[in-house]
Amino acid sequence: MSTATVESPGPAGPASGPNRVDKEQQPYVEVQKPRRTGIKLLVLLAVWLVLYAVFKGKMTKALGLQDTNSLHQKLNDARDWVQLDGKDNWFFGGVLGAIGDALDAIVKFFQELISIPAFPRPVPEIGWLGVVAVLAWITYAVAGLRSTLLVTGTLLFFGVTDQWSNSMDLLIITMLSVVICILIGLPIGIWMARSKAASGVITPVLDVMQTFPPFCYLAPLALFFGIGPACAMVLTIIYALPPVVRITEHGIRSVSPTTIEAARSLGLTRQQMLRQVQLPMAKRTIVVGINQCTMAALSMATIAALVNGPGLGKVVVSALQTLNVGVASVSALCIVLMAIMLDRTTTAASERGQGRSNVGSASGMGVMLTGVVLERLPRWATEDAGRGQRLPRVTAAGRGFLLALLFVPAVVLVLLSRQQLNLATFPDVSETPVLKWISGPQLAKGINNFTDWLVSGVDTYTIWIKDHITMWFIDPLQSLLSDSPWWLMALVLLALAYVLGGWQPAAYTLACEVIIYFTGVWNDTMVTLSMTLIATVMTMLVAVVLGVAMGRGRKADLIIRPFLDAFQVIPPFVYLVPALALFGAGRFTAIVAAMAYSVPIATKLVADGIRGVSPTTVEAVRSTGSTRWQMISKVQLPMARESLVLATNQGLLYVLSMVVIGGMVGGGSLGYIVVSGFSQDQLFGKGLAAGVAIAALGVMLDRIARYAAARYGR
Amino acid sequence: MTLTADQPTSDTSTSGEAAVHVSGLWKIFGPKADAIMKSDDAQLSRKDLQEKTGHVVGIRDVSFDVAPGEVFVVMGLSGSGKSTLVRLLTRLIEPTAGVVKLYGEDITAMGDKALLDTRRRRVSMVFQHFGLLPHRKVIDNIAFGLEVRGEAKGGRRNRAQEMVDLVGLSGYENNFPDQLSGGMQQRVGLARALASDPDILMFDEPFSALDPLIRRDMQNEVIRLHHEVGKTMVFITHDLAEALKLGDRILIMRDGEIIQIGTPDEVVAAPADEYVRDFVSDVPKSHVLTLKWVMRAEQPGEVDASSPVLQAGQIVRDAARVVIDHHGPCRVVDGDKVVGVVDEEDILRVVVAEEGLQ
């Protein structure tokens, strides 16, 4: 090493011989042992299959849905204690009770303000017209004219479809949660950005919060807060908090070190630095974080219907339970519109008044939500902003004046809506021409007719697909996992974790297995696992095909990406509706919904990986005369391995959370137990245990995937 | 082999024809390039065209020939179009207009299959940032071109091993590229290019990313390989010293156009315009110029049979010792014929002029 490049500079230099490069730097090269993972896995599979054949159906730990074990009973007792005696306990009654009561009171206040009759009035304090006026005014103030039109239209649609009150409830839960998330999350994020220790402690906590599928929060929170608005709020806040914290920290940390240094050289104190440099420069990023938080809150507030949270989600749940696709669709449509409305408004707000210089860092934020830094903002978001920048129609002072001026009619409309009954509750439009076609019941009927017609047209195909995939893939794999004795499965999973990732994930796996064993729902967990695995494989098949197309061609990217963006905005709950319409209730439907939820993120990661292959390499390979297929199979896919592993990892977690939710449409197993826990008193303990099992399964899969990714993703 | 069937003339043409023949080559970047090519807009300057249409001229009406076995250097600053030019030669970028022939075969008229075959067998490229495949071992990188054209594993391994030895990478076959230093990685790139035994090697600023010492090393390596394998080489660089060192002839580009084509001493001694003059002003002229450029006409009785004889093609620096020791005019000959004389003063003028500049 020390004698690097002492070479004879002779022009032709053949004298120095072919091996003279040894004198150039000789980097230390580690010799890698061949791992032979493939062979090990094959051996494992063979042993498994033999033992499966021998022991099939024995010691499977299967437990009927209505059966419970002693742990479940104890949890039931605990629930009874919390509900009866907990009020006198300082923690349950004092701390949690106070929080719960406060949240309930806040929610009730806003509900009476805009969505439910405020006793003694027969209507809310502010009627629909006033709400529309105020929200439009606020939107105009923070996000501009386009968003205002969108918001107004969306709100009117809620009214026309007869979902006004439910929509307002959902909006209340979502926005209140967002406000609380910001109040808590912003200071924590700032603290983390400024203190390495804080960051080191809090980051793992956030990791865990984000690894757990949302479903497993439901039961314990229901235990602590009882079902109702307070529980829904806490659930939503827990789920939506990590993005704000993470993105705030990231935004402040990514203020350029040069700027910080320059500011320090001017003698700014830490306080001044924060207020005058870091926060202003991170502002836009933080707003992106709020956007992510809002979307997460909306999707969770929808699911919170399961713990009796108010809002549109409730309609979806009850409609799903009666398999009424039409009614579910109307609410789902409202949820999607609300998602689009919130997304566009917060995005437009984040674009407003800022240069485009930050687009790069902002676009990195999207998937901080999932712990990945690759995702992009929807394309139109940045383009709209660009257009807005060039032609500022109104100056800042003019805008202020205009806003003040517009405030007057907004207030007038609010007052009017307090006086006039038909401005307070949304008029029934079922007799109005044209509008009647989109009034709630009519629309539901129309959608039912349409899906009936559609399904009767395609059901031979959909049922064929469903039956064949169920017969050839789902049933055999489920049988293999759930009919193996529990100890065999435990050993197989341990061995798998060890072979793929080493002893660390094996240790995690062991711990999770112990937890799952004691929850008493081992067999159901294996069923869920089998569905998760199948859905993940199918997700990856689709994601690789789409991702390769997107990564290789700009055109494909331009066509596919907006769909993926749209899919990602939709709260996962909603996917169940079309899946149910097409395939009827069953495990396959849950798998389809899981795919719909996880394909976008996996596809984007694959596409980013393919695009990330260095252009020089691609060109060099082209120059050797390789065909398109050779390019994909020998170069682009192998080089995008890291992204493929990451996509699989993310896809797996997304699939798991959705497969569980799919319990509601016949997916059975863990998800169904959790849901049953809320509807059947004696199953509460079992539902709680199932939630724990879901969490354990999630952590186990995440750890195995992570360590495997670290090992093979290089 | 399909090669001989498709191109029956290729063997006979190698001796007589140019290795690379380029005529009237254009590249305009942008969606409406073809329409602009046909219109008068094509005659606008690069800047005007961009302002008017948003299209950029990459290459403007370039023509040249490269002889078999020649090292032909294309030189220019960044943005001058030299990298585009080399990519047009194998249609990694599609030309807008013009003809490129490699050993008589018209690349621009080829179908996809023939083009792939040309890339697989006749031309290889070496890239500035190496373009290696990080997931493959050195030996598999080198064998990649052979693999792509479907050769059996044993054969391509052997061939790749020969190349490993040729570029001096023995012992590193089973490493991954990112375990090697920059210079060694570029040796892999070089070996990969040589492995398919192409007729023509193209280098796109291959050594720009390397340290100066390693760069000098690699230049010497190229010279050595050229001596050993005698391939035609098209070499892109922005480094004048590199161009002068390696090139049999040099093409100087600016804004996509040819400014000058000439041998190294022609370029230095007779720059075509201010741009080139500026370019070569820092070059130590005594290292490049030959006596041809500094000699003067013989005056009667100035020299006789005893005066030393020097070749017109000799570099000034190498002749300096003889001339200065002689303390008088020396004869300069081209073949047998005396073409001029040089004395101390002529030599010193070149050397001192340079000192003055520095």
Side-chain angles (χ1 to χ4, degrees):
Chain A
M1 294 294 281
S2 55
T3 57
T5 44
V6 271
E7 299 254 357
S8 62
S16 29
N19 274 336
R20 70 214 178 88
V21 72
D22 290 355
K23 285 187 217 149
E24 205 178 288
Q25 296 137 298
Q26 292 183 17
Y28 170 69
V29 172
E30 208 175 339
V31 184
Q32 283 188 340
K33 267 189 291 179
R35 284 221 176 80
R36 305 186 202 287
T37 310
I39 296 173
K40 287 181 191 162
L41 288 179
L42 279 180
V43 171
L44 180 61
L45 184 67
V47 173
W48 183 11
L49 286 175
V50 169
L51 289 173
Y52 164 76
V54 174
F55 290 101
K56 185 175 177 186
K58 290 174 195 152
M59 293 177 275
T60 57
K61 291 270 159 194
L63 192 68
L65 178 62
Q66 295 298 332
D67 301 333
T68 51
N69 69 4
S70 60
L71 176 77
H72 305 157
Q73 299 297 345
K74 274 187 197 136
L75 289 171
N76 279 344
D77 295 344
R79 185 254 334 247
D80 294 343
W81 180 84
V82 169
Q83 284 181 351
L84 292 175
D85 306 327
K87 290 190 173 56
D88 306 325
N89 182 285
W90 68 269
F91 182 69
F92 287 99
V95 180
L96 294 182
I99 294 177
D101 290 345
L103 289 176
D104 275 337
I106 300 174
V107 173
K108 187 144 191 292
F109 171 78
F110 279 99
Q111 278 186 308
E112 291 191 339
L113 192 64
I114 61 173
S115 83
I116 58 173
F119 188 79
R121 287 167 58 86
V123 291
E125 297 285 348
I126 303 176
W128 67 269
L129 185 65
V131 174
V132 172
V134 170
L135 290 183
W137 185 80
I138 293 175
T139 311
Y140 185 67
V142 300
L145 188 63
R146 282 157 169 269
S147 302
T148 310
L149 292 176
L150 178 73
V151 166
T152 312
T154 308
L155 291 174
L156 292 178
F157 183 81
F158 295 157
V160 172
T161 51
D162 200 20
Q163 299 290 336
W164 179 261
S165 162
N166 284 326
S167 305
M168 286 307 106
D169 283 345
L170 180 60
L171 197 60
I172 288 168
I173 299 284
T174 306
M175 293 318 290
L176 278 181
S177 302
V178 170
V179 169
I180 295 175
C181 279
I182 294 170
L183 290 180
I184 303 173
L186 216 54
I188 295 181
I190 292 171
W191 185 37
M192 283 170 74
R194 292 159 68 83
S195 151
K196 273 223 170 79
S199 180
V201 173
I202 299 172
T203 305
V205 177
L206 295 179
D207 283 343
V208 172
M209 283 169 83
Q210 292 189 304
T211 307
F212 285 171
F215 238 51
C216 59
Y217 298 136
L218 290 176
L221 289 176
L223 177 63
F224 291 150
F225 292 96
I227 58 175
C231 184
M233 288 275 297
V234 175
L235 190 62
T236 309
I237 291 167
I238 291 179
Y239 186 68
L241 188 60
V244 189
V245 178
R246 287 222 144 122
I247 298 176
T248 303
E249 183 194 5
H250 174 86
I252 293 177
R253 272 194 199 279
S254 47
V255 172
S256 128
T258 327
T259 313
I260 300 284
E261 200 168 33
R264 281 180 56 194
S265 76
L266 292 173
L268 268 71
T269 64
R270 273 174 70 84
Q271 270 306 314
Q272 286 171 319
M273 182 80 83
L274 180 66
R275 264 185 286 119
Q276 293 171 17
V277 181
Q278 289 173 315
L279 277 183
M281 291 186 73
K283 189 170 116 195
R284 232 198 73 147
T285 310
I286 292 173
V287 179
V288 173
I290 294 173
N291 166 281
Q292 294 295 320
C293 171
T294 312
M295 303 319 292
L298 177 65
S299 69
M300 200 60 195
T302 320
I303 295 174
L306 290 171
V307 289
N308 209 16
L312 287 166
K314 262 165 108 170
V315 186
V316 178
V317 171
S318 64
L320 283 178
Q321 275 160 354
T322 54
L323 304 185
N324 187 337
V325 172
V327 172
S329 298
V330 173
S331 311
L333 196 59
C334 289
I335 295 172
V336 171
L337 282 174
M338 191 181 290
I340 293 171
M341 170 182 108
L342 292 174
D343 183 44
R344 291 205 68 156
T345 309
T346 44
T347 308
S350 77
E351 304 288 342
R352 154 151 301 194
Q354 301 277 334
R356 300 196 68 183
S357 58
N358 248 345
V359 166
S361 74
S363 63
M365 307 313 309
V367 169
M368 292 298 280
L369 179 63
T370 56
V372 185
V373 199
L374 286 163
E375 156 94 294
R376 288 183 170 73
L377 277 177
R379 202 168 293 273
W380 45 259
T382 47
E383 279 166 8
D384 273 5
R387 243 175 279 141
Q389 294 304 307
R390 248 174 278 139
L391 296 168
R393 292 198 191 102
V394 197
T395 63
R399 270 186 60 77
F401 181 70
L402 193 60
L403 275 176
L405 206 65
L406 287 174
F407 188 65
V408 177
V411 170
V412 170
L413 290 179
V414 168
L415 292 176
L416 271 179
S417 76
R418 285 177 62 85
Q419 313 288 331
Q420 311 277 335
L421 191 64
N422 67 338
L423 298 180
T425 49
F426 209 90
D428 184 4
V429 294
S430 55
E431 301 303 321
T432 322
V434 184
L435 279 185
K436 72 180 172 191
W437 296 110
I438 54 167
S439 73
Q442 280 287 344
L443 191 60
K445 216 165 118 195
I447 292 174
N448 265 336
N449 289 340
F450 175 74
T451 46
D452 284 349
W453 169 80
L454 181 73
V455 170
S456 69
V458 297
D459 66 351
T460 36
Y461 308 105
T462 53
I463 289 178
W464 187 88
I465 294 173
K466 174 183 164 177
D467 287 349
H468 279 78
I469 291 187
T470 306
M471 185 167 71
W472 289 104
F473 297 100
I474 304 180
D475 284 345
L477 189 72
Q478 182 173 329
S479 168
L480 181 59
L481 265 69
S482 65
D483 289 343
S484 290
W486 70 269
W487 50 265
L488 177 59
M489 273 317 297
L491 288 177
V492 165
L493 289 172
L494 265 183
L496 198 67
Y498 180 76
V499 170
L500 288 177
W503 63 268
Q504 286 150 309
Y508 278 108
T509 303
L510 183 63
C512 292
E513 283 175 353
V514 169
I515 294 171
I516 295 171
Y517 180 84
F518 282 108
T519 57
V521 288
W522 178 274
N523 196 260
D524 293 291
T525 309
M526 290 307 122
V527 175
T528 301
L529 177 60
S530 70
M531 281 166 51
T532 307
L533 293 179
I534 286 179
T536 307
V537 170
M538 288 169 62
T539 296
M540 286 314 292
L541 287 179
V542 177
V544 165
V545 172
L546 291 181
V548 166
M550 283 172 71
R552 285 174 55 86
R554 257 188 76 73
K555 238 181 214 159
D557 189 285
L558 281 177
I559 294 168
I560 299 173
R561 192 171 284 273
F563 287 98
L564 300 182
D565 288 336
F567 266 67
Q568 284 190 305
V569 171
I570 299 171
F573 215 43
V574 173
Y575 291 121
L576 294 177
V577 180
L580 182 67
L582 279 175
F583 298 104
R587 284 166 297 165
F588 184 69
T589 307
I591 289 176
V592 169
M595 283 176 65
Y597 183 48
S598 57
V599 160
I601 177 79
T603 304
K604 284 185 177 180
L605 288 171
V606 173
D608 278 327
I610 299 286
R611 202 174 304 114
V613 174
S614 111
T616 317
T617 307
V618 172
E619 191 170 47
V621 171
R622 279 182 65 204
S623 82
T624 62
S626 68
T627 60
R628 178 185 309 180
W629 177 242
Q630 285 173 325
M631 175 74 86
I632 294 174
S633 64
K634 286 179 192 288
V635 179
Q636 290 180 316
L637 279 179
M639 282 181 75
R641 184 170 52 178
E642 195 172 344
S643 300
L644 287 175
V645 173
L646 193 60
T648 314
N649 188 353
Q650 289 298 313
L652 197 63
L653 292 179
Y654 272 57
V655 161
L656 174 64
S657 65
M658 197 62 199
V659 158
V660 172
I661 296 176
M664 298 196 49
V665 289
S669 61
L670 292 181
Y672 191 65
I673 299 176
V674 172
V675 179
S676 307
F678 299 117
S679 53
Q680 300 180 39
D681 232 20
Q682 77 282 8
L683 287 186
F684 177 85
K686 195 176 181 187
L688 186 55
V692 174
I694 293 170
L697 184 62
V699 170
M700 184 173 86
L701 290 176
D702 177 59
R703 291 296 128 166
I704 296 177
R706 249 181 228 214
Y707 280 96
R711 185 182 275 187
Y712 300 102
R714 200 186 73 95
Chain B
M1 300 246 292
T2 53
L3 182 69
T4 45
D6 282 355
Q7 297 98 20
T9 57
S10 62
D11 277 341
T12 53
S13 65
T14 324
S15 51
E17 234 160 336
V20 182
H21 166 80
V22 175
S23 66
L25 192 64
W26 282 78
K27 177 63 195 179
I28 299 173
F29 290 104
K32 292 181 190 142
D34 287 333
I36 290 174
M37 191 62 225
K38 287 187 197 110
S39 72
D40 292 339
D41 286 348
Q43 303 310 320
L44 291 172
S45 79
R46 197 183 227 195
K47 202 174 152 211
D48 291 341
L49 184 74
Q50 189 170 5
E51 272 174 14
K52 185 171 171 190
T53 65
H55 287 54
V56 179
V57 177
I59 294 293
R60 179 190 292 274
D61 197 13
V62 164
S63 306
F64 61 87
D65 284 301
V66 180
E70 186 178 9
V71 179
F72 188 80
V73 176
V74 178
M75 213 199 81
L77 300 175
S78 43
S80 60
K82 55 193 190 306
S83 289
T84 307
L85 178 60
V86 77
R87 281 163 178 72
L88 292 174
L89 299 186
T90 55
R91 273 175 61 193
L92 285 175
I93 298 176
E94 289 291 336
T96 311
V99 173
V100 176
K101 289 183 180 172
L102 302 182
Y103 285 104
E105 291 168 33
D106 189 349
I107 292 285
T108 37
M110 270 182 185
D112 285 351
K113 210 155 170 275
L115 182 63
L116 280 192
D117 209 58
T118 304
R119 286 184 192 157
R120 288 176 181 187
R121 299 177 190 279
R122 313 216 63 176
V123 192
S124 288
M125 278 186 80
V126 179
F127 293 86
Q128 179 178 5
H129 297 294
F130 322 139
L132 301 179
L133 305 173
H135 59 291
R136 288 168 165 248
K137 291 173 182 167
V138 164
I139 187 109
D140 294 326
N141 261 291
I142 295 173
F144 186 74
L146 306 173
E147 184 182 334
V148 158
R149 69 187 191 202
E151 281 182 31
K153 188 159 188 179
R156 66 184 194 236
R157 279 268 169 154
N158 289 340
R159 173 72 184 163
Q161 190 59 50
E162 283 173 35
M163 293 304 118
V164 166
D165 298 338
L166 181 67
V167 299
L169 279 174
S170 310
Y172 291 92
E173 301 87 342
N174 290 318
N175 291 136
F176 286 94
D178 62 357
Q179 295 170 318
L180 304 181
S181 67
M184 289 164 81
Q185 289 188 31
Q186 194 54 292
R187 283 172 199 267
V188 179
L190 203 53
R192 176 177 64 187
L194 288 169
S196 56
D197 194 24
D199 300 326
I200 304 169
L201 275 170
M202 297 193 183
F203 296 81
D204 180 23
E205 300 199 35
F207 309 141
S208 308
L210 304 180
D211 297 339
L213 282 179
I214 304 202
R215 187 185 312 163
R216 191 183 62 193
D217 231 37
M218 292 298 294
Q219 288 164 355
N220 294 336
E221 188 80 11
V222 166
I223 293 170
R224 175 176 75 87
L225 288 171
H226 188 240
H227 279 271
E228 287 184 18
V229 298
K231 307 277 184 200
T232 308
M233 295 183 177
V234 176
F235 197 105
I236 308 291
T237 181
H238 64 246
D239 178 358
L240 183 67
E242 190 167 83
L244 296 172
K245 181 172 178 179
L246 298 176
D248 292 329
R249 282 191 303 150
I250 300 173
L251 184 163
I252 296 180
M253 293 190 75
R254 183 184 58 197
D255 289 351
E257 290 175 86
I258 296 180
I259 304 295
Q260 186 171 10
I261 300 181
T263 57
D265 56 331
E266 280 170 355
V267 169
V268 172
D273 67 358
E274 275 307 309
Y275 178 75
V276 182
R277 193 186 311 281
D278 204 30
F279 232 125
V280 300
S281 61
D282 281 350
V283 174
K285 294 201 172 48
S286 59
H287 294 200
V288 180
L289 292 189
T290 52
L291 292 180
K292 184 172 88 178
W293 297 98
V294 298
M295 67 187 185
R296 54 186 167 79
E298 178 188 349
Q299 282 162 12
E302 197 178 15
V303 287
D304 53 38
S306 69
S307 309
V309 174
L310 295 162
Q311 291 296 328
Q314 196 166 16
I315 305 262
V316 171
R317 182 179 57 172
D318 301 337
R321 179 56 55 196
V322 178
V323 178
I324 289 166
D325 285 351
H326 179 61
H327 295 296
C330 305
R331 289 173 293 171
V332 178
V333 296
D334 187 6
D336 293 338
K337 202 173 150 253
V338 176
V339 289
V341 296
V342 286
D343 57 21
E344 252 174 305
E345 215 175 302
D346 300 317
I347 299 288
L348 285 177
R349 200 163 32 219
V350 178
V351 178
V352 172
E354 238 151 57
E355 294 298 320
L357 279 174
Q358 281 161 7

